[in-house]
Amino acid sequence: MNNKILLIALISMTLGDSFCYSQQKKVTYDVNRLLKENKLIKAYPRQIVTEVTDGSKQGLTTDGILWLKNVDFETGVVEVDLRGRDVFQQSFLGIAFHGVDTTTNDVIYFRPFNFQTTDTLRRKHTVQYISEPDFPWDKLRKEHPLVYENAVNPFPEATAWFHARIVINTDDITVYVNHSDWPSLKVKKLNNRQKGLIGLWSSGLPGDFANLVISQ
């Protein structure tokens, strides 16, 4: 009898896991096509957005935020290929989510110019979580040093494409780089917003984005 009960429990757990997995909505976005079909919302009128093709990477180069039109993101996984610039303090790029507008949003972003620095402290400033407007990077660094930013593991080349996998849950966020099993950053969310806009985020010099996949 005990064996039968155990077997039924295992089957139920398996079916339950399969059901949950089947409920996930995974969408691959061709960001070039979204641009051509006017399905990206610019942060400001003069924002520069151009197509970029580099081998298997076909995407966009942009500065500012490019919101995905009619996409309301709650929790799930965001995967994207990114490429920044090796220019000190001028290249920042990542993913904005749970956005209300261009001034109220959460961001996971990278500082590629710190990827290969020999400065140990600067290396720990390579991936960052912020929650605007209440928790910008400088406030977090001052009040919570090395809690909301960390070193990327493994370190890509500063000017190379790299893959980011961002797992956004109700209360926490985990970031993986270049298909590593070891997280580069894991933090608690700093607000109670549970859904909102999602988009490509770049500050300073334009950043490159390709192969965007969103599962939620």
Side-chain angles (χ1 to χ4, degrees):
M1 179 64 70
N2 289 337
N3 289 338
K4 289 183 178 179
I5 294 174
L6 178 59
L7 179 60
I8 292 171
L10 289 172
I11 293 173
S12 298
M13 290 174 63
T14 302
L15 290 175
D17 288 345
S18 298
F19 177 78
C20 291
Y21 181 80
S22 68
Q23 299 307 300
Q24 291 182 353
K25 183 181 180 182
K26 182 176 182 179
V27 181
T28 300
Y29 292 92
D30 182 337
V31 289
N32 277 334
R33 183 175 179 180
L34 293 180
L35 178 65
K36 294 173 182 176
E37 294 179 352
N38 195 31
K39 293 182 179 180
L40 295 173
I41 305 171
K42 293 183 179 181
Y44 54 91
R46 295 186 178 181
Q47 185 172 347
I48 300 171
V49 184
T50 57
E51 295 184 27
V52 59
T53 300
D54 181 23
S56 63
K57 306 292 192 297
Q58 295 189 15
L60 297 176
T61 297
T62 186
D63 59 339
I65 305 177
L66 274 178
W67 298 115
L68 276 67
K69 188 180 291 186
N70 300 323
V71 177
D72 192 30
F73 180 81
E74 296 183 20
T75 59
V77 181
V78 181
E79 297 194 61
V80 65
D81 292 329
L82 309 102
R83 181 174 60 180
R85 309 290 186 263
D86 190 12
V87 183
F88 183 61
Q89 299 287 35
Q90 294 190 47
S91 180
F92 311 87
L93 75 167
I95 294 292
F97 58 95
H98 292 173
V100 176
D101 50 36
T102 56
T103 60
T104 304
N105 52 74
D106 284 11
V107 184
I108 288 290
Y109 72 89
F110 299 86
R111 302 182 178 98
F113 52 83
N114 281 341
F115 281 171
Q116 293 182 302
T117 179
T118 56
D119 185 318
T120 304
L121 182 58
R122 273 183 56 194
R123 274 199 158 201
K124 294 179 180 178
H125 297 164
T126 50
V127 57
Q128 172 87 52
Y129 166 63
I130 58 174
S131 183
E132 297 282 9
D134 297 325
F135 298 98
W137 72 270
D138 49 350
K139 178 179 181 179
L140 292 175
R141 184 176 292 180
K142 180 180 179 181
E143 298 179 1
H144 308 279
L146 300 180
V147 173
Y148 295 96
E149 58 185 335
N150 196 24
V152 167
N153 180 28
F155 276 99
E157 294 182 10
T159 57
W161 286 97
F162 64 96
H163 183 79
R165 182 173 182 265
I166 305 168
V167 182
I168 302 166
N169 294 316
T170 302
D171 299 314
D172 59 65
I173 304 158
T174 308
V175 183
Y176 301 87
V177 173
N178 281 349
H179 308 284
S180 174
D181 293 329
W182 187 262
S184 292
L185 182 69
K186 186 168 185 177
V187 294
K188 294 292 184 181
K189 284 182 79 273
L190 290 172
N191 60 75
N192 58 7
R193 292 192 304 274
Q194 294 300 315
K195 63 179 181 179
L197 299 168
I198 186 167
L200 313 176
W201 184 97
S202 183
S203 180
L205 295 173
D208 300 337
F209 301 83
N211 301 326
L212 176 65
V213 180
I214 299 176
S215 304
Q216 65 170 330

